[in-house]
Amino acid sequence: MENVSHVVIHFIASLAVIIDFLRRNENLDTKKAALACDFLCSYNEKTKNLFKEDLIHIHCKTSDFILQINKRRNDNEWTVTKRGVMLNDKPCNKTNRHRGLHSTKVKNANPDFAVPETHKKRLAVIDYFVKKSASCDVTQSDVALYVRPDLDRQKAFYLDRRKAIRAIHKACCEYLNLVTHQVQVSLTRLADVTGLYTISQAEKAKADRDPHYEPKKNITRLSRAINSMIEMGWIVADAKWQVWDKEAGIWVHKYFEVTELFFAAMGVPKEKVQKEQSVRLAYLKKQHICKGYNPDEIGNMSIKSLKALGRTNWIKKCFEFRKQKAAKKRLSRQLDSKSRSEQRTVAAKRVMDQLGDAVSYVSFDEFKNAVNKEVAVLRKFTGVTPTTS
């Protein structure tokens, strides 16, 4: 008899609330819900006992409907929940997201890294690493499975994250320094070569209005994949290595290195990695001897010292790159939409500024040749051609 009463309760509760939900479409009538609950409680002695408690809780479930009703004894308002969503008479929160206009699907479903055509002269071992990384799934290697219990997310990576990690792993092999194991490429460039970036519609609109505006790229997908590789111990990016650019108000390009687990993930033993590292270090020492370095300087060359030197040089290159990028942007705006004569005027002013007071000691022919060279350098540096008018 008790089982029959439970069936009746489930049926009547589901039927009453479903009919009311369909009628109102969004909200539930709390009065009808209260009457339904009082009616249901009269069918079962066990349910009646719930009224003796401060909080009255009724949970009804069928194959396609879940109803959860809460009421305090001294409160006349019922709170009705359907599948975790509040459906009482209170207004719902408004949102700007609409069905069909927002998608959580990735923009690039199949990211990959293709070796640039300019990388023709490269070491054979680098080519071996790239092909080795492409021939296996590093996310399903023994190394990846071994460290998974220690991660914040112990579940397997979903397919899109796995594809991103594979593309990044392959690209890191191409830009790897065999001695310091530094990946000599910025995250922005890494996103470009792997396709792990997006550009918002607002940024595209700005680029359409201004030809010299470089739209800002969103590399969140790449950053999350990099963080996953850092958690697995494949990449090291110490916070002490990162530098803040006070003038630009941004962090300079991240400096990071790969570990032995990075190579183990693609099946390369550490003995081979150490051998290639020693061979390359001996080659660098030989090159320094040819350049005239003294024996003490060459003797002090170690992997640790080269890593410290590499971090310093990386920071210097980042600041030089920012300075060069700002100069290119400024000169591009000066040369844009100008004729040949107008561009020569800009070049002549730059030559005069460079010479300063010494311009009076320069002959006209020398000045003319300097202006011609400056015009050629500016056009090549900025990529701006003169207008035909």
Side-chain angles (χ1 to χ4, degrees), residues 291-309:
K291 292 179 181 179
Y293 284 77
N294 58 53
D296 293 336
E297 293 176 337
I298 297 174
N300 292 330
M301 286 181 61
S302 62
I303 296 176
K304 184 177 180 179
S305 62
L306 289 176
K307 283 187 176 183
L309 181 63

Side-chain angles (χ1 to χ4, degrees), residues 41-240:
C41 292
S42 64
Y43 271 84
N44 193 295
E45 188 66 23
K46 186 177 181 181
T47 310
K48 282 183 179 180
N49 295 331
L50 294 174
F51 281 98
K52 298 179 181 179
E53 302 177 3
D54 290 338
L55 177 64
I56 302 171
H57 172 78
I58 301 176
H59 181 79
C60 301
K61 178 179 179 182
T62 61
S63 59
D64 59 348
F65 184 82
I66 299 176
L67 171 65
Q68 183 173 327
I69 303 173
N70 299 320
K71 179 185 176 182
R72 294 205 174 267
R73 187 169 57 182
N74 298 327
D75 191 359
N76 294 326
E77 183 180 358
W78 291 82
T79 302
V80 185
T81 307
K82 176 180 179 293
R83 291 180 180 172
V85 182
M86 301 303 296
L87 294 174
N88 52 3
D89 288 340
K90 297 180 181 179
C92 300
N93 295 330
K94 295 183 179 180
T95 177
N96 294 327
R97 301 168 76 177
H98 302 279
R99 177 178 287 277
L101 300 179
H102 176 79
S103 176
T104 57
K105 237 175 143 180
V106 295
K107 302 297 181 182
N108 186 358
N110 297 300
D112 193 15
F113 169 75
V115 179
E117 296 181 357
T118 56
H119 291 199
K120 294 181 179 179
K121 295 182 180 180
R122 57 184 185 145
L123 299 176
V125 65
I126 295 295
D127 183 65
Y128 168 76
F129 287 156
V130 173
K131 292 181 179 178
K132 189 72 173 176
S133 176
S135 63
C136 63
D137 187 356
V138 293
T139 61
Q140 298 298 312
S141 61
D142 294 341
V143 176
L145 298 177
Y146 175 75
V147 300
R148 183 179 297 171
D150 298 331
L151 304 180
D152 294 337
R153 175 188 172 89
Q154 298 182 0
K155 296 181 180 179
F157 294 117
Y158 59 91
L159 184 59
D160 292 330
R161 179 66 57 83
R162 286 171 51 190
K163 290 181 179 180
I165 293 176
R166 291 191 62 184
I168 294 172
H169 191 281
K170 184 179 176 182
C172 290
C173 292
E174 177 64 25
Y175 295 98
L176 182 67
N177 186 312
L178 291 177
V179 178
T180 62
H181 289 172
Q182 176 200 356
V183 182
Q184 297 174 323
V185 65
S186 64
L187 294 185
T188 305
R189 178 59 181 167
L190 203 60
D192 290 337
V193 297
T194 56
L196 294 171
Y197 70 92
T198 56
I199 301 177
S200 64
Q201 295 297 330
E203 291 295 317
K204 291 179 180 179
K206 291 181 181 178
D208 294 339
R209 291 192 298 267
D210 185 1
H212 300 292
Y213 177 78
E214 184 178 354
K216 298 178 182 178
K217 299 176 181 179
N218 188 334
I219 60 172
T220 303
R221 187 181 175 193
L222 177 130
S223 300
R224 290 175 177 175
I226 288 288
N227 291 336
S228 297
M229 298 175 73
I230 292 175
E231 289 181 1
M232 290 189 292
W234 298 3
I235 289 177
V236 178
D238 197 336
K240 298 179 181 178

Side-chain angles (χ1 to χ4, degrees), residues 344 348 351 355 358-372:
R344 284 188 63 84
V351 172
L355 294 176
V359 68
S360 58
Y361 301 100
V362 177
S363 65
F364 173 73
D365 291 336
E366 292 175 343
F367 179 76
K368 184 177 180 180
N369 291 333
V371 172
N372 290 335

